[in-house]
């Protein structure tokens, strides 16, 4: 085993998806998984297969599609969970089961109501059973950050004896300080020696997740469990992009340690996850925030112009940030130039259908907008690949002048090859649009959040609208995306997109229940 290699285990699709409002549908999860593969992550935790038929389906679809990263499912140390995990990852090229039980006194006493002996026995049974499905089994001592070292050593001996190859020591509640975590990891990785890879999984409740991850790496951990944009339960997990770039940038501190991450894919991955979940990283977020590479003060700008390293410790292009959105195509550009541009921008998996549709949209945009930039094209393609569930398709929108009269919206929607048209009034233009769509489709949505940003600068910029909508009280909210130079048109598209996403999930879950996984 290469002692200097740090394995990157991405849990955006499992722990990240546990962030409030971050649920993704199966198609979206597959897109993220493919991008994580391109990013070069070693293990993708694709979900918690036993959680629901929908989760099982997503993990098994990802297992079929991804070839170069290992596909993992989480499971409690319970027979049925492990079985579902094993079945879901069955068809993967590389596969892993990740099973866990809590080992801290507080969790064992109040949550599990189990003695130490019972926990050890359950852990051994879980690993042995997981081994009947896969060779690669990871065991987590949940709440390791608050567990006692002698007991953790006993659990480690037991599960390594049963066949676990990776031992994960999560700081489940984000409690530890870097110095404390470093000491714990040093003692336990020395104890494990060559018997297993030691992994860390840090939550960010005190804002220390990445600091803890790095302290653990410096103390012997060789797997880091991380998420894109730091998504995850409560305050989130350690962010993949931060941990990876710290190891890469601070060679003086980390020596020969390295990850296999293809760092120019960091920013595209962050954008994809933010667009799909509708959760934008804060503007000053390290590595992927909007301001991460922009210099506001004159002194800094002057310094960077004279010598980049005066104020920049990483090159933006090393993480995939392209600073200047270059002018590229005009309304006379043809399909070949458009296709060429798309592959230059790194979209190598665009289907012919997506390409045709994006090209049509490009032509419409080029008619309306003077300069079509790389960012515009990137958004057109992303929008096309996100809006693939099309139970309802917005065909036309007409809104009245809302300054003098009653705000009114007329909407045409295509459904099953039929075009339905209706109009309605509302308290404002958006209200009128949503009410009309509700009446046309027969679904009534409750808007949870609404966000509009412009893709580029300029008065004629494309508006990108993200809506989060609840369509039935028993389901989570669904995210929809809309793109247009007209903000209200983008709003209507985003609302219909959220409805389509809800319907795709609803139908899939219903079918799955019939088949009893
Ligand atoms: O935070 C945690 O302890 C977890 C485990 C299931 C690894 O997410
Ligand atoms: Zn966690």
């Amino acid at each position: 085993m290469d002692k200097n290699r740090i394995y990157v285990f991405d849990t955006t699709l499992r722990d990240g998806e546990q962030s409030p409002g971050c649920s993704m549908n199966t198609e979206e999860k597959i897109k993220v998984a493919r991008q994580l593969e391109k990013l070069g992550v070693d293990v993708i935790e694709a979900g918690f297969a036993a959680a629901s038929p929908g989760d099982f389906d997503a993990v098994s679809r990802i297992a079929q599609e991804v070839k170069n990263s290992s596909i993992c499912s989480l499971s409690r140390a319970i027979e049925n969970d492990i079985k579902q995990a094993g079945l879901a990852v069955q068809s993967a090229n590389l596969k892993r089961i990740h099973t866990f039980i809590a080992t801290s006194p507080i969790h064992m006493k109040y949550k599990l109501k189990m003695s130490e002996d019972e926990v050890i026995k359950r852990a051994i049974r879980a690993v042995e059973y997981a081994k009947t499905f896969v060779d690669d089994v990871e065991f987590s001592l949940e709440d390791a950050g608050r567990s006692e070292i002698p007991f953790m050593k006993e659990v480690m001996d037991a599960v390594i004896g049963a066949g676990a190859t990776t031992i994960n020591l999560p700081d489940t509640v984000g409690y530890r300080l870097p110095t404390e975590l470093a000491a714990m990891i040093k003692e336990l990785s020395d104890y494990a020696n060559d018997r297993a890879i030691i992994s860390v999984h840090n939550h960010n409740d005190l804002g220390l997740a990445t600091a803890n991850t790095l302290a653990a790496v410096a103390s012997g951990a060789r797997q880091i469990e991380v998420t894109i944009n730091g998504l995850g339960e409560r305050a989130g997990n350690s962010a993949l992009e931060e941990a990876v770039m710290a190891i890469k940038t601070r060679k003086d501190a980390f020596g020969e340690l390295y990850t296999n991450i293809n760092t120019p894919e960091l920013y595209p991955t962050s954008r994809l996850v933010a667009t799909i979940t509708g959760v934008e990283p804060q503007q000053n977020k390290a590595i992927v925030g909007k301001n991460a590479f922009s210099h506001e003060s004159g002194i800094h700008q002057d310094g960077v112009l004279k010598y980049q390293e005066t104020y920049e410790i990483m090159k933006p292009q090393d993480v995939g940030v392209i600073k200047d959105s270059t002018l590229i195509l005009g309304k006379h550009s043809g399909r070949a130039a458009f296709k060429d541009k798309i592959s230059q921008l790194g979209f190598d998996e665009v289907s012919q259908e997506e390409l045709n549709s994006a090209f049509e949209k490009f032509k419409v945009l080029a008619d309306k907008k003077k300069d079509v930039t790389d960012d515009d094209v990137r958004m057109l393609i992303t929008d096309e690949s996100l809006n693939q569930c099309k139970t309802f398709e917005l065909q036309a929108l007409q809104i009245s002048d809302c300054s003098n009269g009653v705000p009114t919206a007329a909407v045409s929607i295509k459904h099953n090859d039929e075009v339905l048209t209706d109009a309605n009034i509302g308290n404002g233009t958006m209200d009128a649009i949503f009410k009309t769509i509700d009446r046309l489709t027969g679904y009534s949505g409750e808007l949870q959040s609404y966000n509009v940003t412009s893709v580029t600068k300029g008065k004629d910029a494309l508006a990108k609208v993200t809506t989060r909508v609840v369509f039935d009280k028993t389901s989570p909210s669904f995210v929809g995306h809309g793109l247009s130079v007209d903000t209200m048109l983008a709003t209507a598209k985003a609302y219909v997109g959220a409805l389509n996403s809800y319907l795709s999930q609803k139908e899939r879950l219903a079918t799955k229940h019939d088949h009893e996984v």
Side-chain angles (χ1 to χ4, degrees):
M1 199 189 96
D2 180 350
K3 294 259 181 216
N4 292 322
R5 177 159 175 196
I6 306 296
Y7 291 89
V8 176
F9 175 111
D10 180 278
T11 183
T12 307
L13 295 173
R14 199 277 299 168
D15 212 316
E17 213 218 2
Q18 288 171 221
S19 319
C22 276
S23 63
M24 300 174 229
N25 65 38
T26 301
E27 298 309 320
E28 292 167 340
K29 285 183 183 173
I30 292 171
K31 274 196 191 350
V32 172
R34 286 223 194 93
Q35 180 59 33
L36 291 172
E37 181 184 31
K38 197 167 170 194
L39 178 64
V41 310
D42 299 291
V43 185
I44 297 173
E45 188 161 56
F48 190 161
S52 74
D55 284 75
F56 181 92
D57 189 39
V59 176
S60 47
R61 295 266 316 273
I62 291 169
Q64 284 154 25
E65 306 241 353
V66 170
K67 296 288 167 249
N68 300 320
S69 306
S70 177
I71 302 305
C72 170
S73 170
L74 183 67
S75 62
R76 290 168 298 178
I78 293 175
E79 202 167 294
N80 186 53
D81 270 28
I82 296 167
K83 184 174 172 195
Q84 299 307 323
L87 295 175
V89 299
Q90 202 170 33
S91 57
N93 197 15
L94 303 161
K95 41 186 166 272
R96 172 180 292 191
I97 292 178
H98 175 194
T99 184
F100 72 97
I101 194 162
T103 52
S104 63
I106 187 169
H107 276 231
M108 289 190 290
K109 182 169 175 196
Y110 294 105
K111 183 181 84 171
L112 298 175
K113 301 188 188 343
M114 284 168 76
S115 68
E116 290 189 346
D117 269 1
E118 286 168 324
V119 165
I120 291 191
K121 282 197 188 105
R122 176 84 76 81
I124 294 174
R125 268 211 313 277
V127 174
E128 284 176 349
Y129 187 48
K131 285 294 253 192
T132 65
F133 294 94
V134 293
D135 291 333
D136 185 1
V137 175
E138 169 172 335
F139 187 85
S140 280
L141 290 74
E142 192 193 7
D143 204 18
R146 293 186 299 172
S147 300
E148 285 160 3
I149 295 221
F151 181 55
M152 286 199 278
K153 287 183 177 168
E154 271 185 63
V155 177
M156 283 169 61
D157 286 340
V159 294
I160 292 172
T165 38
T166 301
I167 301 294
N168 185 37
L169 301 165
D171 184 22
T172 302
V173 291
Y175 179 71
R176 285 288 152 216
L177 302 179
T179 44
E180 296 166 348
L181 196 82
M184 180 183 110
I185 297 297
K186 171 95 181 78
E187 179 156 0
L188 294 178
S189 64
D190 284 352
Y191 185 70
N193 201 1
D194 283 339
R195 295 184 295 154
I197 289 182
I198 294 296
S199 165
V200 281
H201 173 118
N202 294 312
H203 279 273
N204 204 29
D205 300 67
L206 293 173
L208 294 170
T210 298
N212 278 340
T213 298
L214 296 171
V217 162
S219 304
R222 288 296 173 266
Q223 175 178 282
I224 54 174
E225 298 199 357
V226 283
T227 57
I228 299 297
N229 299 341
L231 294 181
E233 276 281 354
R234 307 181 309 279
N237 288 67
S238 172
L240 182 151
E241 61 276 8
E242 294 172 8
V244 164
M245 287 313 291
I247 293 168
K248 182 171 168 149
T249 307
R250 292 299 310 273
K251 289 218 176 302
D252 55 332
F254 291 100
E256 300 294 304
L257 299 182
Y258 69 98
T259 71
N260 267 357
I261 293 297
N262 177 15
T263 62
E265 288 298 330
L266 286 171
Y267 188 67
T269 312
S270 164
R271 292 314 313 143
L272 180 70
V273 170
T275 307
I276 286 180
T277 58
V279 176
E280 282 291 328
Q282 73 210 46
Q283 299 214 343
N284 59 341
K285 162 89 179 60
I287 319 293
V288 294
K290 207 169 169 202
N291 297 345
F293 292 94
S294 52
H295 302 277
E296 201 59 32
S297 100
I299 297 172
H300 288 206
Q301 286 172 354
D302 179 55
V304 170
L305 287 174
K306 286 180 175 142
Y307 189 63
Q308 199 172 13
E309 282 170 38
T310 50
Y311 288 101
E312 277 183 2
I313 59 168
M314 296 165 274
K315 293 199 190 74
Q317 54 274 30
D318 286 350
V319 302
V321 171
I322 301 161
K323 280 179 111 173
D324 301 312
S325 182
T326 43
L327 168 64
I328 44 135
L329 303 167
K331 65 181 186 181
H332 301 297
S333 307
R335 187 179 295 267
F338 185 71
K339 194 171 169 198
D340 191 47
K341 190 71 211 176
I342 287 169
S343 57
Q344 273 175 37
L345 291 174
F347 293 96
D348 18 65
E349 285 189 20
V350 178
S351 70
Q352 193 56 41
E353 206 184 321
E354 283 170 0
L355 178 77
N356 291 345
S357 175
F359 183 66
E360 290 311 314
K361 288 182 183 166
F362 158 71
K363 281 292 191 189
V364 174
L365 181 65
D367 254 350
K368 293 191 174 146
K369 191 172 185 286
K370 198 166 126 260
D371 300 337
V372 179
T373 66
D374 284 359
D375 281 346
D376 290 324
V377 174
R378 209 180 268 116
M379 267 327 291
L380 285 179
I381 293 290
T382 310
D383 183 56
E384 197 47 49
S385 73
L386 289 179
N387 287 319
Q388 285 185 345
C389 324
K390 287 183 179 153
T391 312
F392 293 101
E393 210 173 328
L394 187 79
Q395 298 271 292
L397 169 72
Q398 198 180 332
I399 48 177
S400 72
D401 170 8
C402 51
S403 56
N404 302 316
V406 183
T408 312
V411 178
S412 291
I413 279 186
K414 193 165 154 199
H415 178 55
N416 291 338
D417 289 333
E418 201 187 337
V419 177
L420 314 162
T421 302
D422 199 355
N424 211 335
I425 56 168
N427 289 328
T429 310
M430 260 168 58
D431 189 41
I433 294 173
F434 296 155
K435 277 187 179 147
T436 313
I437 295 173
D438 285 352
R439 203 158 69 187
L440 275 171
T441 58
Y443 291 91
S444 175
E446 194 179 292
L447 192 67
Q448 302 281 297
S449 70
Y450 175 85
N451 181 277
V452 55
T453 48
S454 69
V455 174
T456 53
K457 292 179 194 153
K459 289 181 187 137
D460 58 355
L462 268 175
K464 176 171 140 316
V465 171
T466 308
T467 53
R468 186 180 288 287
V469 192
V470 169
F471 289 95
D472 97 49
K473 296 262 181 301
T474 59
S475 304
S477 57
F478 288 83
V479 173
H481 314 277
L483 196 63
S484 172
V485 283
D486 184 287
T487 310
M488 283 302 127
L489 189 55
T491 301
K493 284 184 183 171
Y495 189 77
V496 173
L499 175 59
N500 284 333
S501 186
Y502 162 67
L503 293 174
S504 76
Q505 287 283 78
K506 193 181 160 212
E507 282 160 22
R508 191 171 47 74
L509 292 178
T511 350
K512 269 294 170 191
H513 276 300
D514 293 338
H515 294 149
E516 221 178 75
V517 188

